[in-house]
Amino acid sequence: MDGVTAAVTGVRATARMVARDDGRGGTTLPVLESDGPLALRRTRGSGAETRIMLVGAMSGPLGGDHFTVAADVREGARLRVGSAAATIALPGQTKGEARYDVRLTVADGGELRWLPEQLICAGGSDLYVGTRIDLGASARLVLREEQVLGRVGEEPGRLTSRLVLRVAGRTVLDQELACGPGAPGGWDGPAVLAGHRAVGQLLVVRPEFADEPVSAQVLGEGAAVVPLAGPAALVTAVAPDALLLRRVLDAALAALDP
């Protein structure tokens, strides 16, 4: 794509990874495809777990951009994915929203820990984030989402975020959050963000939860855990800033996935 075309239509980029059991107690990566601003780097793993770091090779997503990251964890494989820094959504030269899609698939007996850094919606940005997860009946998942509205001293950008989880072909979670300028009224009220600028979710799926469901409870101020249908639990939290949000989600993860 030449520079003129990119300026008009935005950047399109897709990064893909496939993790497979190597048959020797480890995990191999037969597919590790980077694209444009989405650079995937393998880092030192631990035991059977392989680790990948997502490195942003340029600014974005900007208005008009469409990024997609896809991970496929096969039976018996274990994969951990993080990011080197926060992702910052910025206003672009083109009008219209930017899109950031995440597509995750984990087969029976596979395990994925999806733990990126924060997503920051800078003032004037308009971003749609869509995360879709398909798990086998005995798959394991830890997924953390952290979203921050605006940088320090800055008005928030607009964010629409949808999270969909399917386990063994059954939808157990499908929720959407819209906040920032132009979002439906009430997004900053007591029923949603309550004046906070950082919002996060922690999704934990373990086969053991099918027989011993997690109990619904309040986790301090601004956070709660609820059981989902099937072997899953969801933690939702709001906080004044990203640092406090991370502390709350880390404490919840330690309790749900020791």
Side-chain angles (χ1 to χ4, degrees):
M1 180 180 294
D2 60 52
V4 174
T5 303
V8 174
T9 64
V11 175
R12 304 292 186 270
T14 300
R16 295 178 58 245
M17 64 200 88
V18 175
R20 186 174 63 194
D21 184 355
D22 65 5
R24 303 187 302 273
T27 298
T28 186
L29 298 170
V31 176
L32 191 63
E33 297 179 354
S34 301
D35 185 16
L38 302 173
L40 301 176
R41 300 288 183 263
R42 182 169 183 170
T43 61
R44 185 182 298 275
S46 175
E49 181 183 78
T50 291
R51 299 186 179 185
I52 293 176
M53 191 69 67
L54 178 60
V55 180
M58 60 183 286
S59 298
L62 310 178
D65 290 351
H66 188 174
F67 296 172
T68 302
V69 181
D72 182 3
V73 180
R74 306 286 173 82
E75 184 176 356
R78 296 180 60 189
L79 179 65
R80 181 187 182 106
V81 180
S83 59
T87 298
I88 304 179
L90 298 165
Q93 295 180 353
T94 63
K95 294 183 179 180
E97 67 180 12
R99 288 185 63 96
Y100 198 118
D101 290 322
V102 178
R103 301 289 181 260
L104 308 177
T105 303
V106 187
D108 285 335
E111 180 177 328
L112 174 62
R113 302 179 73 84
W114 190 265
L115 301 168
E117 295 301 309
Q118 298 89 359
L119 171 64
I120 302 172
C121 290
S125 65
D126 185 358
L127 179 65
Y128 177 90
V129 180
T131 302
R132 294 182 179 272
I133 310 159
D134 281 284
L135 304 181
S138 62
R140 294 176 179 269
L141 172 78
V142 172
L143 177 138
R144 182 183 67 213
E145 286 188 340
E146 297 170 312
Q147 295 151 348
V148 181
L149 299 178
R151 293 167 290 192
V152 176
E154 179 181 61
E155 289 298 312
R158 178 174 178 174
L159 170 68
T160 303
S161 176
R162 185 179 181 187
L163 176 60
V164 179
L165 169 67
R166 290 169 55 87
V167 179
R170 178 188 181 191
T171 300
V172 299
L173 176 68
D174 187 345
Q175 67 175 28
E176 184 171 282
L177 170 68
C179 48
W187 66 268
D188 202 22
V192 188
L193 297 189
H196 296 296
R197 286 295 178 265
V199 57
Q201 299 179 104
L202 179 70
L203 188 56
V204 180
V205 182
R206 302 180 68 192
E208 296 88 344
F209 289 167
D211 297 324
E212 299 180 6
V214 172
S215 299
Q217 57 182 304
V218 175
L219 302 174
E221 184 177 353
V225 56
V226 294
L228 301 177
L234 175 69
V235 177
T236 302
V238 295
D241 56 50
L243 179 60
L244 291 175
L245 179 66
R246 176 65 60 84
R247 289 176 179 171
V248 171
L249 295 180
D250 280 350
L253 180 58
L256 292 174
D257 191 45

